[in-house]
Amino acid sequence: KFCLEATKDEDAGGGGAVPDNPEQVLEAMDPQQRSWLEDALKDMSVDVIQQLGNGIKILMSDATDLDEKEETLDCLEDWLGNIDMAVNFHKIGGFACIRKCLVSQHPSLRTGAAHLVAEICQNNEYCQDKLVQEGFLELLCNQLDSDDDEACRVKALYSISCLCRDYTPGREAFSKLDGWSIVVRAILSDIPKLRTKGCFFLGVACDDNPKTVEELARMGLVQQLASILQVPLELTHEHVLRLLLTLVQHSQDARKEAIDPALGIESALKDRLVEGQGKDEFRESVAHITNLMKLCSTKDEEETADR
């Protein structure tokens, strides 16, 4: 059908409509033309698989120069966005070259490989399963936590997020690796992209699974987020506040911790509110602060206790 759509203008003088039943068109097609089309499609499919195989050889070779490997990763990204191609890539041994790139001495290859993992595993349960089974989460966790290149850490977090979101086995495997603690350390870093993406990932994980909310609350995430809010308001605070709001809304334990006067959240929120009011860039932050102050008011707790 794709080929018929692509050539409809040629076949119908520029004004033809795509047939509702491509199979009937194929049956009625001149045998020679049909044979040519089938051979062309066969050659096309073989060519892509051959290209994937060539890509694997290039990335596995120690003799290939860095520029060619970087270009190959870019090409693989284009091809492997297709779910079937990503599955075929694994079946012909392609994940081995991704692993090799993830542990490369070159940051560009580590970054490219992590991004490729993210592209491969999105909405692809087969590849998610194989990536978890073959230990890629461990490699990505190490890259996120220990890599000395900022871009590598950011891409590792993106890959982990894609591998764990909407995929329970991935999330459970990540939890067993103490992965949530690694993400929290990323959020506490002074790298804005890590803080932003880390907060987003944890927020989505909390929305997807109530157990994750409680797990993060037990880890002391409320206290960690509160420490970030002790400094003057900045743009990354929007994501910190959104995550804190999610925890407080979904976990009674998190709310109890948040209203503890010793933590100082209420006073910090008041200070950040003053700094953000009337400024467009802090509009979302102000909205989150307002909602948090309603939920974390110690005055309301005291009145409830008195009654």
Side-chain angles (χ1 to χ4, degrees):
K1 184 174 181 180
F2 170 79
C3 292
L4 292 172
E5 288 176 348
T7 59
K8 63 181 180 181
D9 289 339
E10 299 175 12
D11 295 338
V18 180
D20 292 330
N21 192 335
E23 288 77 11
Q24 290 182 356
V25 177
L26 287 173
E27 290 294 332
M29 187 178 290
D30 177 79
Q32 185 176 357
Q33 185 180 7
R34 177 174 178 172
S35 177
W36 176 87
L37 178 60
E38 290 174 342
D39 288 342
L41 289 173
K42 182 179 179 181
D43 290 342
M44 183 189 303
S45 299
V46 171
D47 183 63
V48 172
I49 297 298
Q50 287 177 341
Q51 292 298 323
L52 293 178
N54 290 338
I56 294 171
K57 292 177 182 178
I58 290 170
L59 294 176
M60 292 297 290
S61 172
D62 294 330
T64 308
D65 64 47
L66 180 60
D67 288 342
E68 187 173 1
K69 289 187 175 183
E70 291 173 349
E71 184 178 350
T72 298
L73 283 172
D74 289 339
C75 291
L76 287 176
E77 182 182 332
D78 292 335
W79 292 326
L80 300 183
N82 177 284
I83 290 177
D84 291 335
M85 283 299 170
V87 171
N88 289 334
F89 185 65
H90 172 265
K91 290 181 177 179
I92 63 174
F95 283 14
C97 70
I98 300 178
R99 178 187 297 275
K100 186 178 179 69
C101 289
L102 282 174
V103 297
S104 168
Q105 63 176 323
H106 301 291
S108 61
L109 297 186
R110 299 198 301 274
T111 302
H115 189 78
L116 187 58
V117 169
E119 294 301 309
I120 286 174
C121 70
Q122 290 193 68
N123 303 312
N124 190 333
E125 190 168 324
Y126 173 91
C127 286
Q128 287 174 315
D129 182 57
K130 298 304 180 183
L131 287 164
V132 170
Q133 287 183 12
E134 296 176 18
F136 279 83
L137 267 178
E138 289 88 338
L139 292 175
L140 293 167
C141 284
N142 183 66
Q143 183 169 315
L144 171 58
D145 207 26
S146 306
D147 204 296
D148 56 7
D149 184 88
E150 178 178 325
C152 289
R153 297 182 68 190
V154 172
K155 286 300 183 183
L157 179 54
Y158 173 51
S159 296
I160 291 168
S161 178
C162 292
L163 190 49
C164 296
R165 287 203 315 261
D166 301 320
Y167 183 59
T168 300
R171 185 173 59 246
E172 291 176 346
F174 185 63
S175 179
K176 291 178 181 178
L177 293 170
D178 198 25
W180 305 124
S181 295
I182 296 174
V183 177
V184 171
R185 287 195 289 273
I187 291 172
L188 293 172
S189 74
D190 58 358
I191 301 174
K193 285 186 178 180
L194 284 181
R195 178 172 294 175
T196 298
K197 293 180 181 296
C199 286
F200 175 77
F201 173 38
L202 294 188
V204 171
C206 288
D207 289 336
D208 287 346
N209 194 316
K211 292 182 179 179
T212 302
V213 180
E214 298 303 330
E215 188 173 354
L216 291 172
R218 288 195 300 270
M219 286 172 47
L221 182 56
V222 171
Q223 182 177 354
Q224 302 286 2
L225 297 178
S227 69
I228 296 175
L229 298 174
Q230 299 301 320
V231 301
L233 193 63
E234 57 183 71
L235 292 177
T236 63
H237 282 178
E238 175 186 332
H239 309 282
V240 175
L241 290 162
R242 179 69 184 88
L243 177 56
L244 181 58
L245 182 60
T246 297
L247 289 172
V248 171
Q249 287 175 328
H250 291 87
S251 169
Q252 192 61 31
D253 289 340
R255 182 170 182 269
K256 287 179 180 178
E257 186 176 0
I259 63 177
D260 184 352
L263 206 56
I265 285 184
E266 190 171 8
S267 61
L269 290 175
K270 290 178 180 178
D271 292 340
R272 303 296 81 80
L273 182 62
V274 171
E275 295 164 355
Q277 283 180 326
K279 299 177 181 178
D280 286 344
E281 66 269 29
F282 294 130
R283 187 178 303 168
E284 291 296 324
S285 293
V286 168
H288 296 327
I289 290 171
T290 302
N291 289 326
L292 278 165
M293 290 179 68
K294 292 176 182 177
L295 290 168
C296 300
S297 172
T298 55
K299 181 179 179 181
D300 291 343
E301 287 293 310
E302 289 168 358
E303 289 177 354
T304 301
D306 290 340
R307 288 198 297 269

